[in-house]
Amino acid sequence: MADAWTMTFDSADPPALAAFWKAALGYVDAAPPTGFADWAEFLRHYDVPEDEWDGVASLEDPAGRGPRISFLKVPEPKTAKNRIHLDIQAGGGRGVPWEVRAPRVRAAVARLVEAGATVLREDEVDGRLDHVVMADPEGNEFCVV
């Protein structure tokens, strides 16, 4: 049996970065831990000062299929290329015919730019769009396939 896992982003502004990824992936704010009515109650219970409540955010897949994603405030900025990244398979994956996949990818890219992402480059195979490399509002790279 596989272990459960989460993905965590270091961030300058966890709530803002979480809002971007919530829109990008269709995720929702994570429910508070069992036994707590909301996150404020949880944080108060553990004596986290209110001025630190923006230091973390958490999202989850509403269908329960994908991993939970957390965002933690860190003091240092991003300084190098990611060694791991997300692929958003908006086109349906490389098994979908190019004529179907490419418009889906372009529509997702437009939606993500509107949400705050930046296009870094478009990569082609045989002269056709294969995927688009993008960056989220804090510069973390990801691809739309």
Side-chain angles (χ1 to χ4, degrees), residues 62 76 128:
E76 67 279 352
R128 294 180 171 177

Side-chain angles (χ1 to χ4, degrees), residues 40-108:
E41 181 183 336
F42 173 82
L43 294 168
R44 275 194 291 278
H45 177 82
Y46 286 101
D47 298 320
V48 176
E50 282 192 43
D51 64 340
E52 294 179 16
W53 288 10
D54 69 343
V56 65
S58 187
L59 303 176
E60 60 191 8
D61 178 352
R65 294 185 313 257
R68 181 177 278 216
I69 302 174
S70 298
F71 303 85
L72 299 177
K73 185 177 248 180
V74 297
E76 67 279 352
K78 181 178 179 299
T79 59
K81 182 183 180 304
N82 299 6
R83 296 291 297 190
I84 187 170
H85 69 268
L86 299 180
D87 283 346
I88 297 176
Q89 296 188 358
R94 289 192 174 97
V96 174
W98 177 84
E99 297 79 13
V100 174
R101 185 166 45 100
R104 290 178 180 172
V105 168
R106 291 202 186 282

Side-chain angles (χ1 to χ4, degrees), residues 7-8 11 13 17 20 22 39 45 49 53 56 70 97 112-115 139 142:
M7 175 170 281
T8 301
S11 174
D13 186 349
L17 194 57
F20 168 80
K22 186 171 153 178
W39 282 102
H45 177 82
W53 288 10
V56 65
S70 298
L112 293 166
V113 166
E114 182 70 24
F142 65 98

